[in-house]
Amino acid sequence: MGARNIEPDGEVVAIRGAVVDVRFAGAALPKIDEAVRIRRADGGGVMIEVQAHLDAATVRGIALQDTAGLRRGARAERIGGPVEVPVGEAVLGRLLDVTGRPGDAKGELPPDVKRSPIHRPPPPFRARAGASEMFHTGIKVFDLLTPLAQGSKAAMFGGAGVGKTVLVMELIHAMVASYEGISVFSGVGERSREGHELLVEMTAAGVLGRTVLVYGQMNEPPGARWRVPLTALTIAEHFRDEAQRNVLLLMDNVFRFVQAGAEVSGLLGRLPSRVGYQPTLGTEVAELQERIASTGAASVTAVEAVYVPADDFTDPAVTTIAAHVDSMVVLSRAMAADGMYPAIDPVASSSILLDPLVLGEEHVRVANEVRRAIEHYRGLQDVISLLGMEELGREDRQIVERARRLQRFLTQPFTVTEAFTGIPGRSVPVDETIRGCKAILAGECDDWDEAALYMVGTLDEARQKQAAGRDAA
């Protein structure tokens, strides 16, 4: 059997970019999603994943690595199953690619490292556990309006340049500092610069030892970007199922996963569906998202960034991903333009966990009052811009002033932006956030300067800022 694994049993008959056709003469064909390794003339190898059976002897596969240097007639050997990636303690603190090869300067992984296939069914429904323990991030607007529980999924939707990656980086900082579990970060189709920055920051923070970084970046073939979330998820599932440890899975950016799937679909000659997306869009997203779950003793909790093309929230990729998440965090370009960071839209963002049975009556009541006040203010903005605040009734003016103060109180300086802003980052317990919002809604801050509430942590800090401003005046 050992000799069978190293003997070539196929040859390359066609190469078109990332699409490779392999003929297996006189042998059973590898199954769909099985891996085949092709040997280069220089001794290296290229992994492809079988996507179609063209005839009784030929398969068509998508390359997970660069095909430059491959030639027709190259020898191909069957792996005997899907791509297998290293899992377990050995991968902690490492940066891996889609096939599990290290991409850092720390040498090769030990040869006896355990490996798992990247294609696995989701846990059965009966094995799943409901969300119980809340997952506090220390980010005020996140914890108040879009709470996250262990085993749940939160997605941050936003167009280009509204702060998705910064928010993901801050969540990594906030959570890894206080979180005792494992973190797995999956960079899907992102810039190399961002990956390098994250690696440097995690090393400096001393948290890399509990983290695994898995990258399939912009410059890599579509097959790598398409499969890298499954590699990250396989590593997360091992820690959940085998080591019984809670895992935080961070993905930036899930839209690039969909985009890579569309590229693969086009390369394979499938007819496009709505807006040019692949006809298998719903299935591909479901296969990824349904594997993120709690099973008894441990859970995989996901925080995903989702790029919204041209700020169009009706885009099929966006609506498909949104159907699978528990907390939907919507980033607003208008708020970013006004300097309200994090630019999370309190009205458009939502969470199924915002329930009195999960969070308690007070949290849900305050969250709803905050949302209602800001929504009321937005409804009056046209009147204010045309006629001014003086034309509003006394009650409307009071709501508008409190809504403006709430918006400013929900801003927060981040640790990851400290180098640019000069303001140290803040982490705020959810009880302090609720207390501050209640005070503003009750009118305790009606005579305060709005600027005192901008970019602070707790209400006590804003009070000190207000007092210092008065003394200076």
Side-chain angles (χ1 to χ4, degrees), residues 275-356:
V275 199
Y277 285 108
Q278 61 270 45
T280 52
L281 171 66
T283 308
E284 287 174 15
V285 171
E287 282 174 353
L288 174 68
Q289 299 287 356
E290 288 303 304
R291 283 171 64 179
I292 301 167
S294 296
T295 56
S299 63
V300 174
T301 307
V303 178
E304 309 166 9
V306 184
Y307 167 68
V308 179
D311 290 346
D312 177 14
F313 284 86
T314 64
D315 186 87
V318 175
T319 54
T320 304
I321 294 164
H324 290 273
V325 298
D326 305 310
S327 298
M328 188 168 165
V329 182
V330 177
L331 294 161
S332 159
R333 189 169 300 282
M335 289 184 68
D338 289 342
M340 300 294 167
Y341 288 106
I344 295 172
D345 188 328
V347 177
S349 300
S350 61
S351 173
I352 62 166
L353 297 168
L354 203 64
D355 185 312

Side-chain angles (χ1 to χ4, degrees), residues 11-40:
E11 69 167 339
V12 174
V13 292
I15 305 162
R16 289 179 302 282
V19 178
V20 182
D21 293 351
V22 183
R23 180 177 291 128
F24 293 87
L29 295 184
K31 297 174 184 173
I32 301 296
D33 288 339
E34 275 196 17
V36 173
R37 185 185 291 111
I38 300 169
R39 293 186 177 181
R40 278 201 178 104

Side-chain angles (χ1 to χ4, degrees), residues 62-81:
I62 286 289
L64 303 183
Q65 290 147 338
D66 191 9
T67 55
L70 276 193
R71 58 177 178 78
R72 283 197 297 176
R75 300 188 301 180
E77 57 189 36
R78 301 169 61 161
I79 303 299

Side-chain angles (χ1 to χ4, degrees), residues 211-236:
T211 307
V212 186
L213 305 175
V214 188
Y215 275 93
Q217 297 187 167
M218 274 183 177
N219 60 324
E220 296 191 48
R225 289 179 272 123
W226 190 40
R227 289 310 188 205
V228 79
L230 299 186
T231 299
L233 195 47
T234 301
I235 293 168

Side-chain angles (χ1 to χ4, degrees), residues 172 176 185 197-208 211 213:
I172 291 168
V176 169
F185 179 84
E197 284 174 4
L198 185 64
L199 186 61
V200 169
E201 283 195 16
M202 286 196 152
T203 305
V207 296
L208 195 61
T211 307
L213 305 175

Side-chain angles (χ1 to χ4, degrees), residues 85-96 106 109-110 112-116 180-184 208-213 234-236 238-240 242-247:
V85 295
V87 295
E89 299 289 327
V91 299
L92 289 174
R94 302 302 300 266
L95 187 150
L96 308 174
K106 297 180 182 177
L109 292 167
D112 60 342
V113 66
K114 186 174 184 327
R115 290 180 172 267
S116 288
E180 294 306 312
I182 302 292
S183 296
V184 179
L208 195 61
R210 295 203 312 273
T211 307
V212 186
L213 305 175
T234 301
I235 293 168
H238 172 84
F239 283 113
R240 179 194 67 192
E242 306 295 325
Q244 303 288 304
R245 296 180 74 175
N246 289 329
V247 184

Side-chain angles (χ1 to χ4, degrees), residues 124-406:
F125 196 65
R126 65 181 177 276
R128 292 172 183 245
S132 53
E133 193 177 338
M134 298 312 295
F135 211 124
H136 297 306
T137 65
I139 299 171
K140 289 183 285 191
V141 64
F142 205 108
D143 289 342
L144 180 71
L145 299 174
T146 58
L148 188 59
Q150 289 201 353
S152 66
K153 296 183 277 273
M156 291 174 288
F157 296 88
V162 294
K164 293 184 300 301
T165 298
V166 171
L167 194 51
V168 167
M169 301 266 278
E170 183 66 18
L171 281 166
I172 291 168
H173 257 279
M175 290 176 165
V176 169
S178 60
Y179 177 63
E180 294 306 312
I182 302 292
S183 296
V184 179
F185 179 84
S186 176
V188 187
E190 288 299 286
R191 303 165 186 85
S192 303
R193 169 183 58 77
E194 291 170 346
H196 182 257
E197 284 174 4
L198 185 64
L199 186 61
V200 169
E201 283 195 16
M202 286 196 152
T203 305
V207 296
L208 195 61
R210 295 203 312 273
T211 307
V212 186
L213 305 175
V214 188
Y215 275 93
Q217 297 187 167
M218 274 183 177
N219 60 324
E220 296 191 48
R225 289 179 272 123
W226 190 40
R227 289 310 188 205
V228 79
L230 299 186
T231 299
L233 195 47
T234 301
I235 293 168
E237 285 171 332
H238 172 84
F239 283 113
R240 179 194 67 192
D241 299 336
E242 306 295 325
Q244 303 288 304
R245 296 180 74 175
N246 289 329
V247 184
L248 175 63
L249 176 65
L250 298 128
M251 280 195 247
D252 189 9
N253 184 309
V254 183
F255 178 78
R256 306 285 178 214
F257 159 73
V258 171
Q259 206 172 34
E263 287 179 55
V264 167
S265 184
L267 289 168
L268 294 171
R270 295 181 191 141
L271 284 173
S273 182
R274 275 197 310 158
V275 199
Y277 285 108
Q278 61 270 45
T280 52
L281 171 66
T283 308
E284 287 174 15
V285 171
E287 282 174 353
L288 174 68
Q289 299 287 356
E290 288 303 304
R291 283 171 64 179
I292 301 167
S294 296
T295 56
S299 63
V300 174
T301 307
V303 178
E304 309 166 9
V306 184
Y307 167 68
V308 179
D311 290 346
D312 177 14
F313 284 86
T314 64
D315 186 87
V318 175
T319 54
T320 304
I321 294 164
H324 290 273
V325 298
D326 305 310
S327 298
M328 188 168 165
V329 182
V330 177
L331 294 161
S332 159
R333 189 169 300 282
M335 289 184 68
D338 289 342
M340 300 294 167
Y341 288 106
I344 295 172
D345 188 328
V347 177
S349 300
S350 61
S351 173
I352 62 166
L353 297 168
L354 203 64
D355 185 312
L357 297 174
V358 178
L359 299 170
E361 295 280 352
E362 187 182 46
H363 184 146
V364 175
R365 182 178 56 78
V366 171
N368 287 335
E369 283 181 21
V370 167
R371 190 174 278 145
R372 201 175 297 122
I374 293 171
E375 200 167 5
H376 192 84
Y377 165 45
R378 287 189 182 170
L380 293 169
Q381 269 182 324
D382 285 347
V383 176
I384 295 165
S385 58
L386 285 170
L387 304 173
M389 288 275 283
E390 294 74 25
E391 294 302 313
L392 296 178
R394 181 174 160 276
E395 193 177 323
D396 280 342
R397 193 183 307 181
Q398 188 182 71
I399 291 171
V400 165
E401 286 173 350
R402 287 176 186 174
R404 285 174 62 86
R405 284 172 172 79
L406 283 168

